[in-house]
């Protein structure tokens, strides 16, 4: 696995500070535009907590330790309160609070336009988990070939949608590792805080399993 010292990441974030601030500001405006009245009280409280975090100009560059604290302050994603009747059957609406938040943060646009140059500036080209495959995925749509960056969320955006564009929650990886990991937690932190605690891990891969780290 590949680890990166936090100082390197911070220097690159300083280089892109204008674009990062534009992402935060745009997300905040779209979050504030969400009609909170379509949600129950628990979801409204959660949404307000998310908006409060995005009012902090440094939110997208919060360190891994700060992210841990913020998770506790925002709280868990509440149970869905949006239902509709389809053919006489009560079913959850397709668009829930997590989708509204993810749409406001515009992760897909960041992944396609900003993250490739961000991680290229950092110097990462291969998967941080297996270090053997590139992080670029080739796709074909309407007879056109396109390449996009594959990014894993350490804390999955399905459970923590407000962290979907938090830079220290993003792990560039290959499609194989991303698919195997999915939303399963893994005991590996891409960012190293202290040089003293840094160790170079050795990785082994088992068929249809997550990488195992041997220190």
């Amino acid at each position: 696995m590949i680890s990166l010292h936090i100082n390197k990441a911070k220097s690159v974030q300083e280089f892109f500070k204008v674009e990062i601030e534009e992402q935060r500001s745009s997300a905040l405006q779209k979050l504030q535009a969400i009609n909170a009245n379509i949600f129950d009280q628990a979801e409204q409280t959660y949404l307000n907590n998310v908006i409060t975090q995005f009012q902090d100009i440094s939110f997208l560059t919060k360190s891994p330790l700060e992210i841990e604290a913020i998770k506790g302050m925002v709280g868990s994603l509440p149970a869905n309160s949006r239902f509709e009747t389809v053919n006489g059957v009560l079913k959850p609406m397709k668009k829930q609070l997590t989708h509204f938040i993810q749409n406001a943060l515009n992760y897909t646009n960041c992944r396609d336009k900003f993250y490739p140059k961000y991680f290229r500036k950092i110097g990462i080209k291969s998967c941080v988990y297996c270090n053997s495959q590139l992080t670029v995925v080739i796709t074909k749509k309407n007879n056109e070939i396109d390449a996009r960056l594959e990014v894993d969320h350490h804390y999955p955006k399905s459970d923590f949608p407000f962290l979907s564009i938090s830079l220290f929650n993003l792990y560039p990886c290959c499609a194989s590792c991303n698919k195997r990991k999915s939303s399963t937690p893994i005991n590996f932190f891409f960012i190293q805080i202290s040089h003293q605690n840094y160790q170079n891990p050795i990785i082994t891969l088992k068929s249809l399993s997550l990488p195992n780290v041997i220190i």
Side-chain angles (χ1 to χ4, degrees):
M1 291 183 174
I2 299 174
S3 293
L4 177 74
H5 194 269
I6 193 170
N7 289 346
K8 173 63 176 178
K10 285 291 187 182
S11 67
V12 174
Q13 290 168 6
E14 178 65 20
F15 181 84
F16 288 113
K17 65 180 181 180
V18 173
E19 289 181 73
I20 293 172
E21 169 54 22
E22 289 174 351
Q23 293 166 22
R24 185 204 63 85
S25 178
S26 174
L28 175 60
Q29 292 179 20
K30 292 176 181 177
L31 286 168
Q32 292 172 326
I34 295 174
N35 180 12
N37 295 324
I38 64 176
F39 304 108
D40 68 8
Q41 186 60 52
E43 289 177 313
Q44 289 181 23
T45 299
Y46 182 88
L47 177 59
N48 287 333
N49 288 342
V50 170
I51 290 173
T52 297
Q53 294 302 322
F54 271 84
Q55 289 172 337
D56 182 345
I57 61 173
S58 66
F59 177 71
L60 295 187
T61 58
K62 292 294 186 184
S63 72
L65 293 178
E66 290 173 318
I67 288 174
E68 282 293 318
I70 289 170
K71 282 172 53 190
M73 288 187 285
V74 173
S76 301
L77 185 66
N80 174 51
S81 67
R82 287 168 49 79
F83 292 86
E84 61 183 347
T85 301
V86 181
N87 298 324
V89 179
L90 191 65
K91 295 183 177 181
M93 289 186 177
K94 291 183 177 180
K95 195 169 183 180
Q96 302 174 13
L97 177 59
T98 183
H99 302 121
F100 281 90
I101 294 175
Q102 290 182 45
N103 288 345
L105 271 54
N106 203 8
Y107 160 73
T108 300
N109 183 67
C110 292
R111 182 199 63 193
D112 293 344
K113 296 183 178 180
F114 176 68
Y115 299 150
K117 59 184 178 182
Y118 171 74
F119 286 112
R120 183 165 58 247
K121 185 73 173 178
I122 287 178
I124 294 177
K125 297 179 181 179
S126 59
C127 174
V128 299
Y129 295 127
C130 68
N131 195 24
S132 64
Q133 298 191 67
L134 296 177
T135 58
V136 174
V137 177
I138 304 300
T139 59
K140 184 177 181 180
K141 185 177 181 180
N142 298 328
N143 294 322
E144 293 185 0
I145 303 298
D146 191 22
R148 65 175 176 83
L149 181 73
E150 190 82 6
V151 180
D152 176 48
H153 292 81
H154 182 72
Y155 298 111
K157 59 180 182 289
S158 56
D159 297 329
F160 305 96
F162 68 98
L163 293 176
S164 63
I165 60 172
S166 178
L167 291 172
F168 284 123
N169 192 45
L170 304 176
Y171 289 33
C173 64
C174 66
S176 297
C177 285
N178 202 8
K179 183 177 180 179
R180 288 179 180 178
K181 177 184 176 291
S182 186
S183 60
T184 304
I186 183 171
N187 187 26
F188 167 67
F189 290 90
F190 170 44
I191 299 297
Q192 298 293 325
I193 306 299
S194 170
H195 283 298
Q196 183 177 2
N197 296 329
Y198 177 78
Q199 300 182 64
N200 187 24
I202 302 172
I203 184 171
T204 62
L205 292 174
K206 291 184 179 180
S207 178
L208 299 178
S209 69
L210 288 175
N212 296 303
V213 181
I214 303 173
I215 301 297

